[in-house]
Amino acid sequence: MFALLPSAWMIRLKKVGYWIWLIPVFGIPLSYFWSYGSDSPNAWAWLVIGVVFGIIPLLDFVVGRDPANPDEQTEVPELERQGYYRLLSLATVPLLLGMLVYGGWVIAHYDVWNWLGKLGWILSVGTVMGAIGITVSHELIHKDPALEQNAGGLLLAAVCYAGFKVEHVRGHHVNVSTPEDASSARFGQSLYAFLPHAYKHNFLNAWRLEAERLKRKGLPALHWRNELIWWYAISLAFLIGFSLAFGWIGAVYFLGQSAMAFTLLEIVNYVEHYGLHRRKQENGRYERTTPKHSWNSNFLLTNLFLFHLQRHSDHHAYAKRRYQVLRHFDDSPQLPNGYAGMIVLALFPPLWRAVMDPKVRAYYAGEEHQLTASQLA
């Protein structure tokens, strides 16, 4: 639909279009209000889940792709100078935290929902905190200003996954698409085998990396300058606050939405790197990370929702680039749908492998020396 528009037009369109993240955020209170007087109030609690994972994958095909890249000499410098884009990402923080508190109030005081409605509400809030909150935190923790670093850390603390702030930047980006990376899914590995490994090792790797940083400064791991201690303390403060304000259901709500949010993050990690790997060179080191080592998805709609996260190939090759100037590369491996649709596909391993395994093999055609025996089978 937008594939033939000039790059300058697409930039102007997306400048406004990035505000589409407000739709799932305001979808939370709307689903609550629309359940009033409904014959099926529990169903409304699942509204956001249904839209994100049911309607958006279909709309991705209707809206189509966005192949336009900003011009490196003229448009990129101008886009990077504009504080508008930085303000836009930071604006998500107070609104998401406000939505989180509002969600706790609703689940504690709205007695129309039974356990099914409450479950849908928790998972819906967790979906927004994962899809929007963790996506924005990912953008912010890659940037140098302390304001953005701290804002990104706060969003991660709000979903009990602060280790991502350390492990993702210092671990995942170093080891991506290698056996050393817990966030890079192996060829043939199911989502359900990947998730427990990712949870465990990303947590442990974060503590190891922070301990190594402190050791270089001559400090012990359990030191007040260990940033993980502070971020997890903030998570604990959130839990205590929700418990005091809303009782036991507030604690269940906070922990439940956190689990949904960081699980969504790890499913996206699974999608982003499945089956891809970097060559090991004669000196024992892996080749430099390039746009060929991450799956790219250039569907316009989900890219607007996710602040260009789906232009993941460019992000891994040039991690400091801000979201508004990330580029699409035709020669990167391409996903057949946006992340919402690929997440649904990943939940069904036989379907996932039927779609993705041929794509991995086709991508390495002519370079079969990169493939393992299982990939060649």
Side-chain angles (χ1 to χ4, degrees), residues 193-211:
F194 170 83
L195 284 176
H197 184 266
Y199 294 146
K200 174 183 176 181
H201 289 280
N202 285 332
F203 175 81
L204 295 176
N205 288 346
W207 282 97
R208 176 182 56 80
L209 289 165
E210 186 65 356

Side-chain angles (χ1 to χ4, degrees), residues 123-363:
L123 296 182
S124 292
V125 172
T127 295
V128 178
M129 290 300 293
I132 308 301
I134 294 183
T135 295
V136 172
S137 72
H138 168 264
E139 168 72 18
L140 297 174
I141 63 176
H142 274 288
K143 304 306 176 283
D144 294 327
L147 176 61
E148 289 172 289
Q149 283 281 317
N150 291 329
L154 183 60
L155 286 175
L156 291 170
V159 295
C160 302
Y161 219 57
F164 181 77
K165 184 177 186 296
V166 171
E167 202 287 328
H168 178 80
V169 176
R170 295 186 238 159
H172 174 60
H173 269 263
V174 175
N175 298 315
V176 64
S177 296
T178 74
E180 284 74 30
D181 182 36
S183 295
S184 296
R186 314 293 179 262
F187 183 86
Q189 185 180 32
S190 77
L191 174 65
Y192 303 104
F194 170 83
L195 284 176
H197 184 266
Y199 294 146
K200 174 183 176 181
H201 289 280
N202 285 332
F203 175 81
L204 295 176
N205 288 346
W207 282 97
R208 176 182 56 80
L209 289 165
E210 186 65 356
E212 290 174 356
R213 182 185 73 86
L214 292 169
K215 185 178 180 180
R216 290 192 295 270
K217 297 177 177 293
L219 301 172
L222 296 178
H223 189 273
W224 68 268
R225 292 178 66 181
N226 183 324
E227 69 169 304
L228 290 175
I229 293 175
W230 289 101
W231 292 123
Y232 281 119
I234 293 174
S235 295
L236 179 60
F238 271 117
L239 176 59
I240 293 172
F242 276 92
S243 301
L244 292 175
F246 308 122
W248 68 269
I249 191 66
V252 171
Y253 161 81
F254 176 71
L255 294 175
Q257 67 83 28
S258 294
M260 179 62 180
F262 64 67
T263 295
L264 201 56
L265 161 67
E266 294 298 357
I267 298 175
V268 169
N269 276 334
Y270 177 86
V271 167
E272 288 170 339
H273 303 289
Y274 175 80
L276 302 176
H277 57 275
R278 288 148 61 193
R279 298 182 187 91
K280 200 165 191 176
Q281 302 176 112
E282 292 182 0
N283 61 7
R285 296 184 176 183
Y286 292 101
E287 64 180 324
R288 181 185 178 277
T289 304
T290 74
K292 296 184 177 182
H293 296 123
S294 305
W295 289 98
N296 195 67
S297 178
N298 209 34
F299 287 86
L300 175 62
L301 184 63
T302 38
N303 256 328
L304 291 176
F305 272 116
L306 300 177
F307 294 84
H308 268 171
L309 178 67
Q310 296 179 150
R311 290 189 168 186
H312 209 62
S313 299
D314 195 21
H315 167 69
H316 264 281
Y318 306 96
K320 290 291 185 180
R321 286 181 77 99
R322 290 188 177 270
Y323 68 91
Q324 68 268 27
V325 295
L326 288 174
R327 297 161 294 182
H328 165 73
F329 294 100
D330 286 328
D331 59 350
S332 297
Q334 303 294 319
L335 292 171
N337 195 240
Y339 280 5
M342 299 309 298
I343 287 168
V344 174
L345 190 66
L347 296 176
F348 303 94
L351 293 179
W352 172 266
R353 295 201 64 184
V355 172
M356 293 302 297
D357 285 11
K359 289 185 173 293
V360 174
R361 291 194 181 98
Y363 187 70

